[in-house]
Amino acid sequence: MKARLKTMLWTVTSVLQMRLNRLLPGHIPIAFKLALVMTLLLVLGMASLGLFISNNQNLQMRAQLHDFGSTMAQQLAKLASEPILSEDSLNLRMLTANLDQDDKVLGAAIYAHNGDLLSAAGIQPGRADTVFDSARVVSRPWYRRAADRPPERLISFIAPATYRDVRVGSAVVTLSASLMDRAATRARDAIVYATLAMTLLASLLAYWLSRRLSLPIHHLMEATRAIDRGDLAIRIDDRRNDEIGLLFEGFNNMAAGLLQKSQVEQVFSRYVSKNVADKVLANLDEVRLSSRPVEATVLFADIVGFTAMSEKLQPSQVSELLNEYFSYISGACSLYGGVVDKFIGDCAMLAFGVLEDDSEHAFNAVSCAVLIQRMAARLNEQRRAAGRPEVHFRIGINCGAMLAGNLGSDERMEYTVVGDAVNLASRFCCIAGPDQIIMGEELYNNLQSRILAQPGQTLPIRGKSAPVKIYSVRDIHRSYRPLLQANLRELLSYQVNRKKQQLVGHA
């Protein structure tokens, strides 16, 4: 019985193998093989890239929604702490009503410490989804269900309202997550369609490229058949200056006999495999964009009245002026462990604590700003003596959470930092006066024991719901000034020596 089953199994296997051999062509062109391999690799690469982009976009959208909700809840809790204590119901209603007017906010509420609702506007979560005992911002997803439409996914952010480190209540801000979900679905569909289109295009391109790559091989194959027929006078006249040309030359040298033909076939077999591998590896090169959140400090230094100054100078003089001062600024930034993010016209953007962890990034940025002003004052003395116009800087500094990394496209990208803290530093620079260094209250509170600053006005900043109090930095504490003076001497002497070397080089 077992022998009979083995015989039947062998018979079926043989029949299937024979039918499969009949279906397969006796000769598969190498152009088709190359096209198939390249297409599969490109499809795999495009699919992997599409999944990576889709997942990364979803993560970024979730992070942005969470950051926005947390910020709004914390801001509402901060503004509502005093009205909760004073039982100012009118002010509480105004806070929730104003916040509810934001298109992104579906609901806002303020609760007392015992969980009693004090004021509410818009959509609110149920009591089971509200937390009143957490010391940090808590997010609670929930669904709003209606009979005439599908459930809508919402997220409520609950932030504690404290007054002098004592919790007095809670603030709740509700956002819609369905918009984010729909945007992610649209982005995913777009990536899928783009991947399919690129796959089709890549297939056509791969077939065309494989035909071009296999054309010399066809020439070689015809010459080999001629050799087998005994036509030892056959030569390949195609002159090339690449590896295939060398192979043709070697084939012509080996056309004297069958032994030489065998050697050519072996070398050619090894050569073709290496060539395909090199092409595949060349097509797998990709640009990867990455970014990471950091806690850093940003400094903007802008030349005051540069437009009016440049009108009186020749273009070469303007370029020389910018190059000179940007060289000084780059040197000052390097002395305090910062990096030059970019130069924007006559403005320099510096970042501290981005590439490496630096617990002193805030103080280093302020010290660098003071050094830049000292440097500009020293250079202005020389410019006044030479009868040239003075150059004054206005500087804005801010620290906080920001995103650092490679941002851009595959064709053009740069390493930079972005975020609300960066934008606020730029705003501080715009409102600063000549020879003035402006910072925010949070940065001043962290460094007030090591810097000398005087409070300024409380100014409304575009994009900020609450006014921002600014401080003007006059100097750093005297215990840190010796290092600052040493850095100033090093910076000025380095630039002087650098100019001398340039003059010698031009001579």
Side-chain angles (χ1 to χ4, degrees):
M1 185 67 180
K2 292 183 178 180
R4 186 176 180 182
L5 289 176
K6 289 182 179 180
T7 304
M8 293 178 60
L9 182 60
W10 180 83
T11 304
V12 171
T13 303
S14 301
V15 171
L16 291 177
Q17 186 175 3
M18 292 176 58
R19 291 184 178 180
L20 183 61
N21 292 334
R22 291 177 181 177
L23 293 176
L24 292 177
H27 170 71
I28 301 177
I30 193 170
F32 177 77
K33 295 180 180 179
L34 287 173
L36 180 61
V37 171
M38 294 175 64
T39 301
L40 291 176
L41 290 175
L42 288 172
V43 169
L44 181 61
M46 288 296 299
S48 302
L49 182 61
L51 291 175
F52 173 78
I53 294 176
S54 179
N55 292 334
N56 187 47
Q57 186 179 26
N58 290 339
L59 292 176
Q60 289 183 353
M61 293 176 65
R62 294 175 186 272
Q64 290 175 358
L65 182 66
H66 187 273
D67 292 343
F68 177 76
S70 300
T71 302
M72 297 299 291
Q74 289 175 343
Q75 187 176 13
L76 179 60
K78 183 178 180 181
L79 296 174
S81 58
E82 292 186 7
I84 292 175
L85 285 176
S86 60
E87 298 181 357
D88 189 353
S89 59
L90 178 59
N91 196 359
L92 294 176
R93 287 195 297 270
M94 291 179 60
L95 289 176
T96 54
N98 291 337
L99 191 61
D100 187 55
Q101 293 177 0
D102 194 328
D103 295 337
K104 298 180 181 179
V105 177
L106 298 183
I110 300 173
Y111 292 84
H113 182 64
N114 58 3
D116 292 339
L117 179 63
L118 300 179
S119 177
I123 303 171
Q124 302 302 325
R127 296 281 297 183
D129 296 321
T130 309
V131 179
F132 299 106
D133 56 353
S134 177
R136 58 184 179 85
V137 179
V138 177
S139 61
R140 283 291 186 267
W142 55 286
Y143 287 88
R144 181 175 64 167
R145 304 182 184 277
D148 56 344
R149 57 184 179 180
E152 181 180 7
R153 193 166 72 92
L154 306 177
I155 301 180
S156 294
F157 296 86
I158 303 101
T162 59
Y163 183 80
R164 295 184 178 181
D165 299 332
V166 177
R167 180 162 185 162
V168 296
S170 301
V172 180
V173 174
T174 301
L175 307 178
S176 174
S178 296
L179 296 177
M180 179 189 67
D181 297 338
R182 288 193 291 269
T185 301
R186 290 194 297 267
R188 182 191 60 197
D189 293 341
I191 291 174
V192 170
Y193 294 145
T195 302
L196 292 177
M198 289 300 297
T199 299
L200 179 60
L201 181 62
S203 301
L204 297 176
L205 180 62
Y207 179 75
W208 174 81
L209 185 59
S210 63
R211 289 292 301 271
R212 293 293 302 270
L213 291 175
S214 63
L215 185 60
I217 301 176
H218 285 292
H219 294 165
L220 184 60
M221 183 179 61
E222 293 297 329
T224 303
R225 289 176 177 174
I227 293 274
D228 289 338
R229 292 193 301 267
D231 187 4
L232 300 180
I234 189 67
R235 295 293 182 270
I236 301 177
D237 297 329
D238 190 2
R239 302 295 180 183
R240 303 171 63 98
N241 57 355
D242 55 9
E243 293 84 356
I244 295 181
L246 295 176
L247 181 60
F248 287 168
E249 182 179 355
F251 177 82
N252 290 334
N253 293 332
M254 288 184 287
L258 294 177
L259 179 61
Q260 293 178 337
K261 180 179 75 68
S262 176
Q263 294 175 348
V264 169
E265 290 176 348
Q266 295 176 3
V267 173
F268 177 69
S269 176
R270 294 194 299 269
Y271 168 76
V272 169
S273 299
K274 183 178 183 303
N275 185 43
V276 174
D278 291 340
K279 292 296 181 181
V280 171
L281 291 176
N283 291 335
L284 292 179
D285 288 337
E286 297 178 357
V287 177
R288 297 186 179 272
L289 305 179
S290 61
S291 57
R292 63 186 182 95
V294 295
E295 186 76 19
T297 304
V298 178
L299 182 152
F300 285 87
D302 186 30
I303 298 178
V304 179
F306 179 76
T307 302
M309 184 187 305
S310 60
E311 291 178 352
K312 303 175 183 179
L313 300 176
Q314 297 294 329
S316 59
Q317 295 174 323
V318 174
S319 176
E320 182 181 358
L321 176 68
L322 289 177
N323 290 335
E324 177 184 3
Y325 278 91
F326 284 164
S327 298
Y328 281 110
I329 290 176
S330 298
C333 179
S334 178
L335 288 173
Y336 285 99
V339 293
V340 177
D341 188 288
K342 63 173 68 70
F343 295 116
I344 313 169
D346 60 319
C347 178
M349 177 180 172
L350 313 181
F352 298 83
V354 174
L355 295 180
E356 297 179 356
D357 293 335
D358 182 10
S359 59
E360 296 292 329
H361 59 82
F363 181 68
N364 288 336
V366 176
S367 301
C368 180
V370 176
L371 178 60
I372 292 173
Q373 297 292 21
R374 295 281 181 86
M375 173 270 300
R378 187 72 63 86
L379 294 180
N380 283 334
E381 295 177 0
Q382 302 175 7
R383 296 181 72 86
R384 282 195 300 269
R388 294 186 295 173
E390 299 181 11
V391 177
H392 299 273
F393 284 90
R394 55 187 177 192
I395 299 177
I397 310 175
N398 192 39
C399 69
M402 56 193 70
L403 193 66
N406 294 321
L407 305 178
S409 65
D410 290 345
E411 292 78 17
R412 178 73 170 91
M413 64 182 179
E414 62 179 351
Y415 189 91
T416 186
V417 291
V418 295
D420 183 65
V422 179
N423 298 334
L424 192 56
S426 178
R427 301 281 174 82
F428 288 161
C429 180
C430 294
I431 64 179
D435 303 325
Q436 191 177 22
I437 303 172
I438 294 296
M439 65 168 54
E441 184 176 10
E442 181 181 356
L443 184 57
Y444 169 75
N445 293 334
N446 295 333
L447 302 177
Q448 59 179 339
S449 62
R450 294 193 282 178
I451 65 174
L452 301 178
Q454 58 186 14
Q457 303 174 354
T458 300
L459 302 176
I461 301 295
R462 186 179 61 184
K464 291 286 185 180
S465 58
V468 177
K469 188 174 183 179
I470 61 174
Y471 288 80
S472 177
V473 180
R474 293 186 289 110
D475 205 342
I476 59 177
H477 196 272
R478 60 183 180 182
S479 60
Y480 302 98
R481 291 174 192 169
L483 177 60
L484 180 69
Q485 294 297 330
N487 288 336
L488 179 60
R489 290 192 297 269
E490 180 180 352
L491 179 64
L492 294 175
S493 62
Y494 172 78
Q495 295 299 334
V496 170
N497 295 334
R498 184 169 173 269
K499 289 181 180 179
K500 290 181 180 179
Q501 294 177 359
Q502 290 177 350
L503 292 175
V504 172
H506 289 307

